[in-house]
Amino acid sequence: MILLDGKIASQSVRDSLKQDVANLVNQGKRAPHLAAILVGNNGASETYVASKVKNCSEIGFQSSLIRFEENIHESVLLDKIAELNNDPSIDGILVQLPLPKQINEQKVIEAIIAEKDVDGFHPVNAGKLMQGLPSFIPATPYGIMLMLEYYKISTKGKHAVVIGRSNIVGRPMSILLSSNSAYGNCTVTICHSHTHNLKEICLQADIIVAALGRPEFVKADMVKEGAIVIDVGITRVEDATAKKGFRIKGDVAFDEVAPKASYITPVPGGVGLMTIAGLLKNTLQAYLQNQ
Ligand code: NAP
């Protein structure tokens, strides 16, 4: 079993981005600038945004963190997005999800202009991805593709089973794995909560991407010997013995699945770090297109 180490693979992406930024600055140009918006103080969202901002500064990107109270009116958020859309010094905009109930997430996603939509959630970018056109790919599926590329994992002709069909992970992942590209060309089955015989389907998989948000859902008896297992899940599970009072669990029962897998991602330390790498790459791309 080979561990698909997000620390190592994401470091390689960040090293390369750092070099790109240094080259731009040496040419007298400004650095790419990411604006991150955080509404409220959800613990997990705080952690994700802090990590994104920290990663920006480590590779030489500029970043702005814009915070709003939990109870803001939707229009305040939309006005801020409009301002950032029109600000030529901002290359990428992300709004950390989930948002409080009074705010319509889809409206917010569509308010960010496609050219600055570095999360790749805007319907224009989703449509382009569908048609195989250059676009901002949602950061998590993009990060997984970067991971496959880093470890040179051959995907051609393999049967990939993606569990989960969300717009931010499962669905774009299924498109990327089935696309006619270097780390695509899989035959893809996409599963969801209405799928019958999920275990039997998973047992046919050469590659499993688990993105359903159910801790340790994928057990050893669902995995074929030698399968490649990508665990996207991140769930905080209460644990009084843990320092913070919770532990992060993936969607795969790592200890029992790992001995059967040829490659497997850990949680934490796997896909989460690659997601940030994907976001940073999208931000550089937005900068280059905006110049
Ligand atoms: P989501 O929007 O809740 O979607 C979950 C998907 O899983 C849905 O399509 C759902 O089916 C399906 N599902 C739920 N229970 C199932 C079951 N028992 N059997 C089969 N399918 C089932 O979640 P998401 O945003 O895609 O996120 C999924 C997980 O990834 C979460 O743990 C999230 O925290 C994590 N995540 C991690 C990263 C990262 O950077 N590592 C990034 C994003 C998300 P239906 O469509 O039928 O409801």
Side-chain angles (χ1 to χ4, degrees):
M1 183 274 292
I2 295 172
L3 192 74
L4 298 173
D5 191 328
K7 283 191 206 115
I8 297 173
S10 68
Q11 187 64 52
S12 146
V13 174
R14 279 178 285 139
D15 286 347
S16 146
L17 287 170
K18 197 172 179 173
Q19 191 55 57
D20 291 341
V21 181
N23 292 341
L24 288 167
V25 172
N26 283 342
Q27 291 163 28
K29 296 181 179 151
R30 69 168 176 85
H33 190 163
L34 175 72
I37 302 181
L38 178 60
V39 182
N41 35 30
N42 171 292
S45 294
E46 294 259 5
T47 310
Y48 297 147
V49 170
S51 180
K52 289 168 186 175
V53 167
K54 182 166 163 264
N55 272 272
C56 278
S57 93
E58 278 171 9
I59 63 164
F61 281 10
Q62 281 182 273
S63 65
S64 299
L65 173 57
I66 299 143
R67 303 195 63 136
F68 290 108
E69 296 291 330
E70 178 86 17
N71 60 359
I72 56 152
H73 195 274
E74 184 184 270
S75 61
V76 178
L77 181 57
L78 294 175
D79 285 350
K80 177 47 91 176
I81 292 172
E83 184 190 314
L84 296 169
N85 281 339
N86 291 319
D87 183 342
S89 73
I90 300 290
D91 303 296
I93 304 169
L94 78 84
V95 178
Q96 186 65 43
L97 302 181
L99 289 167
K101 285 194 183 64
Q102 76 278 14
I103 299 174
N104 180 331
E105 273 187 9
Q106 190 59 27
K107 216 167 164 182
V108 170
I109 286 169
E110 292 184 27
I112 299 170
I113 51 168
E115 292 79 6
K116 296 192 181 187
D117 167 41
V118 287
D119 258 337
F121 297 163
H122 193 286
V124 166
N125 283 314
K128 285 184 175 175
L129 178 65
M130 258 287 294
Q131 297 198 349
L133 300 170
S135 66
F136 294 115
I137 302 167
T140 301
Y142 189 15
I144 293 170
M145 297 309 281
L146 293 170
M147 174 85 99
L148 296 174
E149 188 182 334
Y150 180 82
Y151 282 96
K152 300 193 168 43
I153 293 177
S154 160
T155 53
K156 192 172 165 183
K158 294 209 162 101
H159 180 200
V161 171
V162 178
I163 316 174
R165 57 177 166 184
S166 72
N167 287 340
I168 64 170
V169 189
R171 212 183 291 262
M173 194 68 236
S174 70
I175 293 169
L176 290 165
L177 286 172
S178 63
S179 67
N180 186 358
S181 63
Y183 292 89
N185 285 316
C186 288
T187 303
V188 178
T189 303
I190 182 158
C191 301
H192 44 76
S193 65
H194 300 280
T195 299
H196 292 156
N197 308 325
L198 182 62
K199 180 176 165 184
E200 286 68 27
I201 294 168
C202 286
L203 279 167
Q204 293 169 24
D206 303 308
I207 301 173
I208 295 179
V209 179
L212 66 160
R214 302 275 180 274
E216 303 193 326
F217 180 92
V218 177
K219 307 276 194 241
D221 66 358
M222 297 168 73
V223 178
K224 184 169 85 175
E225 204 66 51
I228 297 157
V229 180
I230 312 284
D231 190 352
V232 183
I234 299 182
T235 307
R236 289 182 170 201
V237 177
E238 276 186 38
D239 183 344
T241 67
K243 232 181 180 176
K244 294 177 177 166
F246 64 85
R247 285 188 200 285
I248 301 291
K249 294 274 183 199
D251 287 345
V252 175
F254 184 90
D255 291 346
E256 57 178 88
V257 171
K260 289 184 93 174
S262 55
Y263 296 90
I264 187 166
T265 62
V267 176
V271 172
L273 297 170
M274 297 312 295
T275 295
I276 297 183
L279 170 74
L280 297 172
K281 275 189 75 91
N282 277 343
T283 305
L284 178 65
Q285 189 191 323
Y287 167 93
L288 295 172
Q289 286 170 7
N290 291 341
Q291 289 301 295

